[in-house]
Amino acid sequence: MSKNMVYAIMTFNMLIWGLNTVALKILVQYLSPLTMQSLRIILAGVVLFFFLLWRKEWRKPSLHEWRYLIGAILFGVMGHHSCLALGLEHTTATNASLILALLPLSTVVLSILFLKDHITGLRAVGITLGLIGVIFIVLRGSGDLSSHLAGDLWVFGAMMTQAISFIFIKKATDTMDAKQVTSLMFLCGPLGIFTISLFLHPYGLRDFTTAPGWIWVIFLASSVIATGMGHMLYNTSIHRLGPGQSAIFINLTPFFSLVGSVLFLGEQILASQIAGFFLISAGVILGSGAVEERKRPFFQRPFLRPAQASKIEKR
């Protein structure tokens, strides 16, 4: 598959994820957040599992591979999806989508801390702009902390845990098929979320018996299409492009979420949120190194093989 095809798939995937934020906001209004997340994700995992069995692509992971899988499960499923559901219960889909847009910058920061990636002046400026953008969103132009602060903090936690999970996913997909990594994450992770839900929302399953029928349509679409297919495609892209370049596409998600929030939820977009969106977007462009990449001479860009690059440097 060509890189242009991967880019097109990633863009379509961001559309699905953007609208999924709107779908989750609707679901948490009718269903217990953690119970809903656990059942929604495990359904996606079961669908992927039988798909892999049908394709005869399933194999038993080694102990070495389980080290990275456990990290991906803890952070990418239990941490991310639990925080996201709890956050959407107390904040707007607009705020959530804008805070999640910090994911590329968080991935860059983690790469600097743990993968020994270097930081430049432009990257530092980008990270700062991104953080200022979040302040604009949380304050919402009032000068005081938003009434959605608790929900915003939960969503921020969801964003950070997902960024951490990308490091483990990249390691796991080095030796395993991305579809199997995704399936194992969605089969094991929801068990932990459901266990937590028994303590926080002991009567969560009862909500499913009283929910209207159209909620089930949104639930199934969110589970199978957005979560199952979406994460499978994204994890495949992490293997092809790497965690940093893949995370850049997530900057498209807030735009689709904003449009969906206005069309389907009737949410009002404030001037402070628009300012936050542009600050975060600018922060992602600078913090990801995209500007520096364009300024580099053509023959020094990293698509050259290491051997070729070393020859150029010796000249």
Side-chain angles (χ1 to χ4, degrees):
M1 184 186 300
S2 67
K3 274 199 171 183
N4 287 335
M5 180 61 69
V6 176
Y7 293 155
I9 291 174
M10 286 288 283
T11 302
F12 176 72
N13 202 28
M14 295 309 105
L15 168 63
I16 294 175
W17 278 4
L19 295 179
N20 189 49
T21 302
V22 178
L24 290 176
K25 177 61 180 178
I26 296 173
L27 289 174
V28 297
Q29 294 174 356
Y30 290 87
L31 303 173
S32 172
L34 293 182
T35 306
M36 178 273 296
Q37 282 288 64
S38 64
L39 297 180
R40 188 180 65 86
I41 297 168
I42 201 166
L43 174 61
V46 170
V47 171
L48 283 176
F49 174 73
F50 282 107
F51 174 76
L52 290 172
L53 286 182
W54 175 66
R55 293 282 300 269
K56 298 181 179 179
E57 295 178 357
W58 184 269
R59 70 170 178 83
K60 182 180 179 181
S62 67
L63 290 177
H64 176 76
E65 291 168 334
W66 269 112
R67 291 193 305 170
Y68 301 119
L69 284 171
I70 290 174
I73 290 167
L74 290 177
F75 291 100
V77 179
M78 290 183 61
H80 171 68
H81 288 283
S82 296
C83 291
L84 183 59
L86 293 172
L88 282 170
E89 190 178 20
H90 301 289
T91 191
T92 64
T94 300
N95 268 27
S97 63
L98 293 174
I99 294 172
L100 290 173
L102 274 176
L103 181 58
L105 286 183
S106 300
T107 305
V108 170
V109 172
L110 291 175
S111 298
I112 293 170
L113 293 176
F114 298 106
L115 300 181
K116 307 303 180 182
D117 197 1
H118 68 283
I119 185 171
T120 63
L122 281 178
R123 283 192 167 192
V125 170
I127 293 169
T128 303
L129 287 177
L131 294 175
I132 294 174
V134 171
I135 293 174
F136 269 76
I137 295 165
V138 173
L139 294 181
R140 305 187 73 187
S142 63
D144 297 314
L145 287 177
S146 163
S147 59
H148 301 116
L149 178 60
D152 292 341
L153 290 176
W154 277 115
V155 175
F156 187 84
M159 180 273 301
M160 284 301 301
T161 51
Q162 188 174 31
I164 295 171
S165 75
F166 289 164
I167 306 300
F168 290 100
I169 291 171
K170 176 62 176 69
K171 292 290 187 179
T173 55
D174 283 342
T175 58
M176 295 182 64
D177 182 81
K179 295 187 292 295
Q180 185 175 3
V181 171
T182 308
S183 179
L184 284 169
M185 288 173 61
F186 290 165
L187 287 173
C188 300
L191 300 178
I193 299 177
F194 185 76
T195 302
I196 296 173
S197 74
L198 293 178
F199 294 95
L200 297 182
H201 305 111
Y203 302 105
L205 289 175
R206 188 170 56 188
D207 294 340
F208 284 82
T209 63
T210 59
W214 58 272
I215 283 293
W216 284 95
V217 177
I218 297 177
F219 177 84
L220 292 173
S222 174
S223 173
V224 177
I225 299 176
T227 300
M229 185 181 76
H231 280 82
M232 181 184 70
L233 292 175
Y234 191 83
N235 290 350
T236 302
S237 299
I238 289 178
H239 177 65
R240 292 292 303 275
L241 304 176
Q245 192 173 356
S246 299
I248 296 301
F249 282 87
I250 295 182
N251 196 42
L252 296 172
T253 306
F255 172 76
F256 295 125
S257 294
L258 290 174
V259 174
S261 299
V262 173
L263 293 178
F264 299 110
L265 300 177
E267 293 184 0
Q268 182 182 5
I269 302 177
L270 304 177
S272 60
Q273 292 172 320
I274 295 175
F277 172 76
F278 282 110
L279 284 170
I280 290 175
S281 299
V284 169
I285 293 172
L286 295 175
S288 65
V291 173
E292 295 166 325
E293 178 64 21
R294 291 186 64 85
K295 290 171 64 177
R296 292 174 64 183
F298 181 80
F299 59 83
Q300 291 183 352
R301 293 186 183 176
F303 64 80
L304 290 175
R305 295 177 181 176
Q308 293 174 316
S310 63
K311 289 179 182 179
I312 292 173
E313 291 174 357
K314 290 178 182 177
R315 292 179 183 177

